[in-house]
Amino acid sequence: MTTDIKTILSWFKTGKKPTEKQFWDSWLSFWHKDEQISQKNITNLVDTLNNKVETDLFDSHQTDETAHAQLFAKTKIVKPGEFIVFKVEPNTADYLEIGDSVIGYCQDNFLCEATYYGGDTSLMTSFTKLNNKVGRIVSFTSNDSSNDDFIIYELNNEVLLRSLSCGAYSGVYLMYKKPGEQEFSNAWFNGTYPKTWVTWFDFTAGTVIKLIDTIGGLEDSEEFIIGQPE
């Protein structure tokens, strides 16, 4: 028979004089190191041991080729050159369509939710969005020592292959729209790529500039808004 801990502690408060029985009952309420504790007296030990897999069964399970056969039967093995296809609206066909997302390997590259843009599915170019913009404007610097405005820009590789004339690329114009204006106007390039300057245009803060291709059919560059001079 055991006595709960709160009762035992109450016997040994300051000023109390525990009796011989209380002293004995206190010691009989705890396990002595020399005593063996049975399994039934350890909470959930029996259930835990009963649920444990035997070592020989576990070892054989690891090498059993038929283990979890039903589970692996549901697994889809995707070989190189094949893809898991996720349909993207408005596509509904039961085959790969432009705009669908895919997962798989192409030219030794792992594609994770790549978009199909059309063409040969064995080529990475079919899953890479082409750069159809003429280029981009990198920076604008105004009012230098010569009172010119300098623009640093980049051009599409297709444009770079065109013939160079007077430091400018054929068919590419710098377009600008000052605050309050509704339409873009064009300005000629000066200087040598990738730097150009424009003189006497007074490109104030808020002026929008961009690059436009007039002969190659490439899309306009992203618009660049000129900020306040630093």
Side-chain angles (χ1 to χ4, degrees), residues 196-210:
T196 186
W197 66 80
V198 286
T199 308
W200 312 120
F201 279 94
D202 189 24
F203 284 172
T204 58
T207 298
V208 179
I209 56 177
K210 65 177 182 177

Side-chain angles (χ1 to χ4, degrees), residues 55-230:
T55 302
D56 57 342
L57 292 176
F58 179 75
D59 290 341
S60 63
H61 181 79
Q62 294 185 88
T63 58
D64 185 359
E65 296 182 356
T66 63
H68 304 294
Q70 293 181 343
L71 176 62
F72 285 108
K74 299 178 181 179
T75 302
K76 179 176 178 58
I77 305 300
V78 181
K79 300 178 181 179
E82 297 180 355
F83 306 96
I84 298 176
V85 179
F86 297 88
K87 303 303 295 183
V88 176
E89 292 183 349
N91 297 348
T92 57
D94 58 356
Y95 54 82
L96 180 60
E97 299 177 89
I98 293 176
D100 287 341
S101 292
V102 303
I103 295 178
Y105 274 93
C106 178
Q107 292 186 310
D108 296 327
N109 293 289
F110 178 66
L111 304 179
C112 181
E113 297 186 36
T115 300
Y116 176 60
Y117 294 103
D120 188 347
T121 56
S122 66
L123 301 176
M124 278 296 296
T125 53
S126 299
F127 303 97
T128 305
K129 187 174 184 179
L130 298 177
N131 178 13
N132 291 319
K133 292 188 179 297
V134 63
R136 74 183 186 99
I137 295 174
V138 178
S139 63
F140 176 90
T141 304
S142 62
N143 298 325
D144 76 335
S145 59
S146 61
N147 295 318
D148 290 333
D149 296 327
F150 280 86
I151 298 171
I152 304 298
Y153 62 104
E154 296 177 350
L155 290 176
N156 186 299
N157 288 336
E158 179 181 325
V159 180
L160 292 175
L161 293 177
R162 297 179 190 170
S163 60
L164 182 62
S165 175
C166 299
Y169 286 84
S170 176
V172 179
Y173 294 108
L174 174 68
M175 308 297 292
Y176 66 92
K177 182 171 62 175
K178 296 181 179 180
E181 295 180 345
Q182 300 298 316
E183 302 292 335
F184 279 94
S185 301
N186 67 285
W188 293 99
F189 279 98
N190 295 292
T192 303
Y193 179 75
K195 187 174 184 179
T196 186
W197 66 80
V198 286
T199 308
W200 312 120
F201 279 94
D202 189 24
F203 284 172
T204 58
T207 298
V208 179
I209 56 177
K210 65 177 182 177
L211 303 176
I212 186 173
D213 181 22
T214 62
I215 63 174
L218 295 170
E219 297 178 5
D220 297 353
S221 70
E222 298 291 339
E223 296 181 354
F224 184 98
I225 302 176
I226 297 173
Q228 295 288 348
E230 296 183 358

